[in-house]
Amino acid sequence: MDKTISTLAEAVAEIGDGATVMIGGFGGSGSPIELIHALIDRFRETGSPRNLTVVNNNAGNGHVGLAALIEHGMVQKLICSFPRSADPRVFTEKYLAGEIELELVPQGTLAERIRAGGAGIPAFYTPTAYGTDLAKGKVIAEFEGRPYVQERWLKADFALVKAHLGDRQGNLTYNKAARNFNPLMCMAAATTIVQVTRIVEPGSIDPEHVVTPGIFVQGLVEVFDPQQEEVLNRAGAHHP
Amino acid sequence: MTLKLSNAQIAWRAAQDIQDGAYVNLGIGFPEMVAQYQPPGRQAIFHTENGILNFGESPAEGSEDWDLINAGKKAVTLNPGAAFFHHADSFAMVRGGHLDVAILGAYQVAENGDLANWSTGPKGVPAVGGAMDLVHGAKRVAVITDHVTKDGKPKLVKSCTLPLTGVGCVTRVYTSLAVIDIEGGHFVLREKLPALSLEALQAQTGAELFTKGPVADLIVPEL
C-alpha cells in the first residue's frame, strides 16, 4: 500500500465544482497553505473548482491560503466559527457585498459536528448556544434538568490537511498545536489529502505516537519546507 | 484616591481567586492579563481552545513558532507538563466540566447570570469563536469588565439587550468598581472600592445590588 502522491497539482486534481472541502488549521497553525495554493493554481488555469463550500475555523488572513481562495471567488459558502483575523478584508468585503454565504458555528460545536461526521453519529446534543441566536430553529431537549441543543454532523467530499510526518500508509503525526481541527477533518471527509513535511516508511512512526491512523487518509504529498501564513503575511505576500 | 480600577488591577483581583493547580481558560484579549498576576507560589494550568494545556508566556520576538499559538493567534511557549490535543478533545475539556475556571470579557451581564459578549448587533461580520462553548461546563464562569460602558451606561443590567452568549452562566463579576456574585437571580455585592458609596455604585448598576453580610473593601495594589 502506498498512498503517496508525487505533486501538489495531482493531489488536488479530483476536487470538483460545488464540492464541500474541509480545510484544516486554526488561523495559520496547521493550515495546508501549499495544497490551497495548488487548488488556486488549478482554478486559474482551468476555471475549476468553483462554488466550493469550505469548512474552516476562520475565514483567512491577508491574501494567502484560505483568504486567497476566497479572493479568487472560488468559495460560495463558508462554515466557520470566527471569520475575523489580523487582516480579514478579503472575506469581509465579499460577505458585506453578499457574494459569500456564512454559516456561523460555535467553535466547540464545529469541532464536534466534524467529529460526529467522521464517527457516523448523525446528531448530538450540546449545551452550547442554548438560548442564543445561533440555536434558533434547532431542536431542544432536556437531559437531567438542563436544556440542550441538537446539532447535526458535518461531512465533506474532501479534506485538505497539514501534518508533520506521514508514512506511506497514511499514519500521521502533527507539529505542536498545528493538530487542532486536522485529525477530525481527516475522519469526516470521503477523501482526505494530507501535506506532510516528510514521507517516511511504514514502521518509522512508533504506533504509540500515531495521532491519525492511516485508515482516515487517502493521499499524502510531501511539502518539505511548508510556509506559515503568519510569516507570509508579515512579508505582505499575495498568492499568486 | 482611586476612582476606578485599571484593567490590570481588575485582572489582578480576578487572579487572587484562582487556586494553585486550577485548570483555567482565559478569554482572548483583556482576560489574558489575568495570567500575569497569579499570587506567588500558585501556578494555574492554562487551557487554550486550539489544543494546548499548560502553555506559558510569549516567546522573544524572532523566536516564535507559528505552530505554537493560543486562541488569540499569539505565539506562546510551553511549561513543563504541557500537552497537545485536537479540537474535539479540547472542547470536551470545556463542556465536560473539566475546567475549574473560565474568565471572560463582557458587553453585558444580567442579574440572572446571562452573558452577552460576542455581538454588538446585526452590523458587520458576526464571529463567535469559542465563547458560547466556554460559558458551559467550567465549574466557575467569571467575568472581568469595566463597570460601565465607554459612554457611562451600566454593563450590569436587569436583562441583556445585546445578543446572548449564554443563559444563566456567570457566577461572579469583577468590575472596575466592585466584586459581585450572582446568586438566586440577583447581584450580590461582595467588595467595593472603599471611597465609593453603595448609593453611587448602585447608580452605575442597571439592577438592584443586594448585600448578604458585610461588604469588604476592594483593595488592589498600584500596577
Side-chain angles (χ1 to χ4, degrees):
Chain A
M1 180 188 288
D2 187 349
K3 297 180 181 176
T4 61
I5 301 167
S6 47
T7 66
L8 284 159
E10 221 182 312
V12 299
E14 302 298 316
I15 300 174
D17 292 353
T20 295
V21 184
M22 291 180 175
I23 299 181
F26 180 87
S29 171
S31 174
I33 297 271
E34 284 77 5
L35 282 171
I36 300 169
H37 288 176
L39 201 58
I40 294 170
D41 294 345
R42 199 186 116 205
F43 174 77
R44 290 171 62 85
E45 280 167 27
T46 67
S48 182
R50 56 172 65 243
N51 300 332
L52 299 173
T53 293
V54 169
V55 183
N56 181 269
N57 186 62
N58 301 99
N61 187 9
H63 302 274
V64 297
L66 176 55
L69 194 77
I70 294 168
E71 195 163 29
H72 278 80
M74 298 166 67
V75 183
Q76 182 180 62
K77 179 179 177 181
L78 185 69
I79 302 175
C80 83
S81 87
F82 201 75
R84 286 189 202 141
S85 65
D87 178 4
R89 280 174 294 177
V90 165
F91 175 80
T92 301
E93 283 170 18
K94 289 230 184 276
Y95 177 77
L96 295 178
E99 291 167 14
I100 190 165
E101 191 187 336
L102 172 66
E103 181 180 338
L104 194 70
V105 182
Q107 198 174 127
T109 298
L110 182 64
E112 194 62 18
R113 286 180 65 192
I114 297 166
R115 199 198 70 81
I121 306 288
F124 59 92
Y125 285 93
T126 174
T128 302
Y130 172 74
T132 77
D133 292 348
L134 298 190
K136 274 186 186 152
K138 292 184 176 163
V139 175
I140 306 294
E142 214 175 273
F143 298 90
E144 297 182 11
R146 281 185 66 191
Y148 293 82
V149 181
Q150 190 192 80
E151 295 284 355
R152 299 287 175 100
W153 59 7
L154 202 49
K155 295 184 283 186
D157 302 305
F158 292 88
L160 300 180
V161 160
K162 182 185 191 180
H164 181 49
L165 300 180
D167 72 23
R168 293 180 185 280
Q169 295 182 3
N171 295 302
L172 305 176
T173 69
Y174 298 88
N175 185 41
K176 305 188 180 76
R179 182 178 306 197
N180 54 65
F181 283 92
N182 283 305
L184 307 173
M185 290 180 171
C186 285
M187 296 164 62
T191 302
T192 292
I193 299 154
V194 187
Q195 65 169 76
V196 296
T197 307
R198 207 146 52 81
I199 290 172
V200 298
E201 294 306 318
S204 307
I205 303 172
D206 184 337
E208 293 279 10
H209 298 164
V210 170
V211 178
T212 293
I215 191 169
F216 298 126
V217 172
Q218 281 67 48
L220 304 98
V221 57
E222 188 173 88
V223 178
F224 182 69
D225 190 14
Q227 302 185 85
Q228 285 283 2
E229 186 181 87
E230 183 70 26
V231 174
L232 290 173
N233 281 334
R234 287 181 178 207
H238 283 61
H239 185 80
Chain B
M1 189 179 76
T2 311
L3 294 173
K4 65 169 221 164
L5 301 184
S6 66
N7 278 359
Q9 289 175 308
I10 302 170
W12 180 91
R13 177 60 192 86
Q16 307 312 301
D17 290 347
I18 299 176
Q19 300 308 309
D20 186 39
Y23 290 96
V24 179
N25 184 293
L26 302 175
I28 295 173
F30 172 25
E32 290 179 59
M33 289 178 82
V34 172
Q36 297 169 36
Y37 298 112
Q38 290 185 86
R42 287 193 222 164
Q43 176 69 61
I45 294 175
F46 293 104
H47 166 268
T48 181
E49 292 92 313
N50 55 309
I52 314 173
L53 268 176
N54 215 349
F55 67 96
E57 291 172 5
S58 305
E61 208 172 314
S63 60
E64 298 95 346
D65 178 340
W66 295 110
D67 282 342
L68 192 56
I69 60 174
N70 65 12
K73 316 281 192 319
K74 293 195 199 74
V76 295
T77 54
L78 299 176
N79 291 327
F84 298 124
F85 35 86
H86 61 58
H87 248 85
D89 280 354
S90 182
F91 281 88
M93 294 173 194
V94 170
R95 290 181 308 257
H98 307 285
L99 291 176
D100 294 297
V101 191
I103 299 181
L104 306 167
Y107 298 137
Q108 292 176 325
V109 182
E111 63 177 352
N112 66 350
D114 287 1
L115 173 67
N117 81 345
W118 74 282
S119 168
T120 52
K123 272 191 186 165
V125 179
V128 65
M132 286 189 186
D133 305 280
L134 277 170
V135 298
H136 296 285
K139 294 184 182 86
R140 200 161 72 77
V141 177
V143 156
I144 58 173
T145 178
D146 243 306
H147 200 83
V148 296
T149 64
K150 284 199 178 71
D151 51 1
K153 293 198 176 70
K155 294 182 83 165
L156 278 66
V157 295
K158 192 105 185 119
S159 65
C160 295
T161 52
L162 292 170
L164 290 185
T165 306
V167 174
C169 52
V170 178
T171 52
R172 175 164 268 207
V173 188
Y174 303 93
T175 81
S176 47
L177 303 179
V179 177
I180 293 164
D181 283 336
I182 292 169
E183 287 179 12
H186 298 297
F187 290 130
V188 178
L189 180 62
R190 298 296 181 194
E191 300 175 20
K192 66 171 182 60
L193 290 180
L196 187 71
S197 71
L198 183 56
E199 293 70 29
L201 183 65
Q202 180 64 72
Q204 298 177 71
T205 308
E208 190 177 352
L209 288 170
F210 288 71
T211 53
K212 284 185 184 173
V215 175
D217 286 341
L218 172 55
I219 295 169
V220 173
E222 294 299 323
L223 294 169

